[in-house]
Every structure is written in C-alpha cells, then in structure tokens.
Amino acid sequence: MRYFNEHEETMSRDEMHALQSERLVETVNRAYEKVAPYRAKMDAAGVSPDDIKSVDDLAKLPFTAKQDLRDNYPYGMTAVPMSEVVRIHASSGTTGKQTVVTYTQHDLDVWAECVARVLTAAGATNEDIVQVCYGYSMFTGGLGAHCGAEKLGCAVIPASTGNTARQIMMMQDFGSTVLCCTPSYALYMYEYMRDNNIPIDSIHLKYGIFGAEPWSDKMRAQLEENLHIKATDIYGLSEVCGPGVAFSCSEGNGLHVNEDHFIIEVVDPKTGMPQPDGVPGEICFTCIDKEAMPLIRYNTHDISALHHEKCSCGRTLVRMDRITGRSDDMLIIRGVNVFPSQIESVLLSSGNVDPRYLIVVDRKGTLDEIEIKVEINAAQFTDQIRGLEELQLKIKKNIESVLGIAAKITLVEPGTIERSVGKTQHVIDNRKI
Ligand code: DLL
C-alpha cells in the first residue's frame, strides 16, 4: 500500500486549491462567528469573512501567535461548546500557563488519519506492531501516534517514555516492527543495546517514525544503519493537532504537508510577506478542517522552505524542507519544548537569585543535556554551604516540576556571568545535530 488516502494525497493542484478554498471560507466564517478573539483581530485589521473567497485571499487575514492562545487561556479560542470537546492537550507556553488545545471527535478522526498516512508512507501496514515511546500525557506525541497506528489497524504498544531496558525487552518479546520516538532516543536505545551486548537481531524493527525535535540526514543514515530500519520524519505541533502535520516519503525530498487539512505558508520573518518556493522563512499553518480550535495563520516560528512540484512518490502534497531551526528562542531538550523565559521565571520564584543566568545545552553521546548556571546574589553568597546546597536542590526540583526536564544547576559567584552591553545572551547551544 503506497498511500493511506490516495485521492487526497495525489489530487491535482487545482482540486487541492478548490478544496482548500471551500474549507478556508467555511473556517473563517465559523471562527469569526464563534471565537471572539478572531472576530476582534479581523475587525481591527479591517477584514470581514466576506473578503475571503479563496486561498488566494489568505494573506489578508491577520496572523495568530502563541500569545493569543495564552491570552485566551484555557478555552477562549475554542469554537464549540465543551459538550462537543472530547480531548484536551497542552504544550509549553513561554512562561507560566500552557497552551491549551481542544479536539472534537471529528478532530481526533482527522488527526488519526494524518498519522495513518505517515505510517503508510513509512511502509507500515495493519500487519505491523507499533511501539509508541513518545510521552502519553498532555504532550501530543504518545496519543497522536497511538491513534494513528490504531486507525491503520496496527497492534499498538503504548510503552510511553523511560526505562530503556524494559523498552528493549518489550521490543524483543512483543515483536515490535515499528518504533515511534524522538530520533535522539532511538539512537540512545541503539547505544544501550550495543553497550549491553544486546544483539540487534534480537529485535525485529522495520521502521522508525521519528520527530518532535530537529534531526539531520546524517542522523537518519546512522539510525537506518544501526537499527536496520527505514526512518521516516514526522512533524507536527500541538496547536495544529500534534504529530502528523507533515511527513517524509520514500524519496527523501522533504516533508509532505497534509494540505487538505492544514494550509501551509512560509513568510518572511521581518515583513510577514509570503515567500516564493525554495526561500526559507517562518512556517504558518491555517487549520481548515478543525471544529474545536480552528487556527488561522498560526506562526510556528519553525524555519523551512516550500516546494510545490510533484514528488516522484506520486504525492502532490506540497513539501517543506526539514526544519533547520527556529526564529524564536524556544529550545527542544529531549523532545520537550523549553523557553528560556520559563527557566527565568522558575529561577526568580526560587528566591535569592538575580536574573543572571546562562543556559548551556549540549549533546553528550546521543542525549541532550542542559546546565543552568545561576548567579546567586551577594547576600546569599556569604551564607553557609548548606544554604547554597539547599538552594541548588530547590531550583533543580522547581525546574523539573515546571518544565519536566532534569537540569544540572550550577550556582556561580556574583559577577561571574558575563555582562553585556546589548542583548544579554542567555543560551549557549553547543549541539551539533
Ligand atoms: O512535538 C508534536 C510531535 C510529536 C511531532 C511527536 C512529531 C512527533 P510540540 O510539543 O507542540 O509538538 O512541539 C512542536 O517541535 O514547532 C518544532 O519546533 C518541533 N518539531 C516537531 N516535529 C519536528 C520534526 C510536537 N520532525 C515543535 N523536525 C515544532 C524538527 C520538529 N522539529
């Protein structure tokens, strides 16, 4: 089976234009009517739903940002009564509150189909046994991959994250043929097997569905060679639905976007003007088939470029390049999104710390590591060692509970962190991916 939904994945560009236009007009009308923040934004921009007649009018609409979702926390962007909402997910906000996403049953069905398309493009069928090692939580990775694999009729193992020895034992005993996790965790699993003399032929993987963090062609080659699999790139973000917004195909020509559900634009970060094919910019999505939370021109801050020519895999769906970076300061540490501003607010709420800190990110072996160097204030510095140790532990615990990541905390003397005359540099990212 080459496609999960051959008609949608291979329709002509004219057909796609017509389908997107019809869905866009309906979405804009509904968003205007049901979601006060969209109405307010459109009114302020002097655009009415009547101005939107086709996809060609998309650029008339104002952008939506993460901040809009935060400002309307938790349900202000939801277009249906809560009686129609059947699932709630969330992802990190820049500080404090999370970004909440709501789904109706229809939204979950569409999402599952998008993931089923990814699995099919990877080579999987209903004969496969899929081990999902993305987190099952507010994060969309676990349940997203899970429901897509079920939709395809696979046998799904909801392994979730952690306990590598047990993950490998499950792969061996249950005969997993598809592995869904972050690319760095897949590499870590390989190293774990190698270091513990577990032969690769004791597991039976055929395909890997890797995403949630940037990775390179080099990593793909390494994963394919080490684990004896074919690796597929899966892209997505919670605000749009979760994993399954775009996916790589057998041709390795970038990632096909499920355009019948999500219109993608690439815009110049400075001017907001749409970029021509091949020119990188910020990716924005408009969700044209979502009931609970329609999104209009949502700026992801991921950087990529588009290619509209037909792919030799037969799909006509537009392709985006592998994500090369972000235009904002969001870091992805072991698949978890982290904003430096979140770290700053945790530090400041821990007491006795000045807002002087440096976040150092590294990749030791295959996994990301984060160290936060925190400058303590002079009063605290004269204190006893015990007090410092307590403070260090308190910060570590607070970071772990708020951000969900383990960080090394190093307290440094007052005046140690370099002062800058311009924009303070809070992050040093030494990872070479
Ligand atoms: O990471 C959804 C997901 C789960 C995707 C599992 C793939 C697999 P968020 O936590 O909202 O959602 O993070 C979204 O992660 O804007 C990108 O910066 C980054 N990202 C996701 N997939 C990829 C990928 C999930 N394949 C943010 N390549 C996005 C590069 C990716 N970056």
Side-chain angles (χ1 to χ4, degrees):
M1 195 164 62
R2 288 177 69 194
Y3 313 108
F4 182 79
N5 186 335
E6 180 160 0
H7 178 255
E8 255 71 7
E9 294 178 61
T10 62
M11 65 171 61
S12 72
R13 295 304 310 167
D14 285 348
E15 269 181 287
M16 183 59 81
H17 187 273
L19 178 67
Q20 287 188 328
S21 297
E22 186 194 318
R23 290 183 172 173
L24 175 67
V25 169
E26 194 275 327
T27 298
V28 171
N29 275 283
R30 211 159 45 80
Y32 188 84
E33 200 187 313
K34 307 273 188 200
V35 187
Y38 279 126
R39 192 162 51 246
K41 265 184 177 256
M42 284 172 62
D43 287 348
V47 197
S48 110
D50 293 341
D51 297 326
I52 310 302
K53 301 205 159 40
S54 81
V55 184
D56 303 330
D57 298 318
L58 191 59
K60 293 179 184 164
L61 292 162
F63 289 104
T64 305
K66 211 175 188 54
Q67 187 61 38
D68 293 310
L69 273 65
R70 283 194 67 211
D71 290 347
N72 296 287
Y73 175 88
Y75 302 133
M77 303 296 278
T78 294
V80 297
M82 286 311 279
S83 56
E84 288 176 34
V85 171
V86 298
R87 177 91 66 81
I88 298 166
H89 278 284
S91 81
S92 2
T94 43
T95 49
K97 302 285 188 200
Q98 290 178 304
T99 303
V100 174
V101 193
T102 49
Y103 305 73
T104 64
Q105 188 55 51
H106 166 83
D107 299 337
L108 292 185
D109 292 343
V110 167
W111 182 18
E113 157 147 1
C114 289
V115 176
R117 291 183 192 180
V118 182
L119 286 157
T120 307
T125 68
N126 60 1
E127 303 284 333
D128 280 291
I129 301 175
V130 180
Q131 186 161 330
V132 179
C133 313
Y134 290 118
Y136 281 67
S137 58
M138 299 311 278
F139 178 55
T140 52
L143 281 165
H146 183 111
C147 295
E150 277 186 351
K151 180 106 181 173
L152 184 57
C154 305
V156 191
I157 305 169
S160 199
T161 51
N163 200 339
T164 307
R166 198 177 58 117
Q167 298 278 5
I168 292 165
M169 191 179 73
M170 284 198 286
M171 281 199 259
Q172 291 170 322
D173 296 351
F174 299 167
S176 315
T177 51
V178 182
L179 174 65
C180 301
C181 63
T182 58
S184 53
Y185 188 60
L187 266 186
Y188 178 74
M189 278 187 173
Y190 162 72
E191 290 192 349
Y192 185 94
M193 292 181 73
R194 187 195 58 197
D195 298 345
N196 289 281
N197 298 317
I198 303 172
I200 285 295
D201 60 10
S202 70
I203 60 168
H204 305 95
L205 289 180
K206 293 193 285 185
Y207 311 113
I209 316 289
F210 305 134
E213 65 183 10
W215 54 308
S216 57
D217 281 332
K218 199 173 130 226
M219 256 178 103
R220 179 206 193 90
Q222 253 180 323
L223 282 163
E224 293 192 333
E225 194 188 319
N226 293 340
L227 289 169
H228 305 170
I229 54 166
K230 198 175 134 323
T232 290
D233 193 353
I234 183 167
Y235 167 86
L237 59 154
S238 327
E239 295 88 328
V240 170
C241 69
V245 175
F247 56 100
S248 63
C249 65
S250 52
E251 305 307 298
N253 278 333
L255 289 84
H256 290 284
V257 180
N258 280 315
E259 273 185 289
D260 46 331
H261 302 296
F262 320 109
I263 304 179
I264 184 167
E265 294 172 274
V266 167
V267 303
D268 181 322
K270 289 206 184 70
T271 63
M273 292 304 286
Q275 301 280 51
D277 268 20
V279 179
E282 292 176 317
I283 312 178
C284 303
F285 287 106
T286 301
C287 299
I288 46 174
D289 196 13
K290 267 177 77 177
E291 292 177 341
M293 223 183 88
L295 264 193
I296 296 179
R297 305 194 84 202
Y298 182 74
N299 191 333
T300 64
H301 292 289
D302 286 322
I303 301 289
S304 182
L306 294 183
H307 304 276
H308 277 90
E309 65 281 5
K310 187 174 168 177
C311 180
S312 37
C313 75
R315 287 180 185 79
T316 48
L317 301 172
V318 68
R319 278 167 293 126
M320 61 180 222
D321 289 336
R322 230 179 228 291
I323 304 294
T324 50
R326 292 185 54 87
S327 60
D328 65 2
D329 55 358
M330 186 180 94
L331 297 162
I332 305 184
I333 314 285
R334 300 193 183 189
V336 179
N337 300 349
V338 177
F339 287 95
S341 51
Q342 285 176 296
I343 294 185
E344 180 168 315
S345 50
V346 172
L347 294 179
L348 291 177
S349 66
S350 303
N352 292 318
V353 219
D354 287 336
R356 298 202 193 282
Y357 60 93
L358 186 65
I359 302 164
V360 185
V361 191
D362 227 319
R363 185 162 280 186
K364 296 266 162 60
T366 51
L367 292 183
D368 298 331
E369 288 192 354
I370 179 166
E371 177 183 10
I372 306 169
K373 296 187 180 177
V374 188
E375 199 172 292
I376 46 175
N377 60 33
Q380 178 79 16
F381 189 65
T382 54
D383 224 335
Q384 296 171 347
I385 296 282
R386 205 164 139 246
L388 292 179
E389 281 173 357
E390 273 167 14
L391 177 64
Q392 192 174 21
L393 198 66
K394 183 170 157 196
I395 296 175
K396 190 173 168 54
K397 278 194 181 146
N398 288 351
I399 293 276
E400 233 170 287
S401 75
V402 176
L403 279 81
I405 52 164
K408 177 179 174 195
I409 309 297
T410 310
L411 299 182
V412 297
E413 290 177 32
T416 321
I417 289 173
E418 203 179 317
R419 277 26 179 186
S420 109
V421 279
K423 209 167 141 63
T424 306
Q425 191 190 10
H426 283 303
V427 181
I428 297 178
D429 194 341
N430 291 323
R431 289 175 295 185
K432 287 185 187 59
I433 293 167

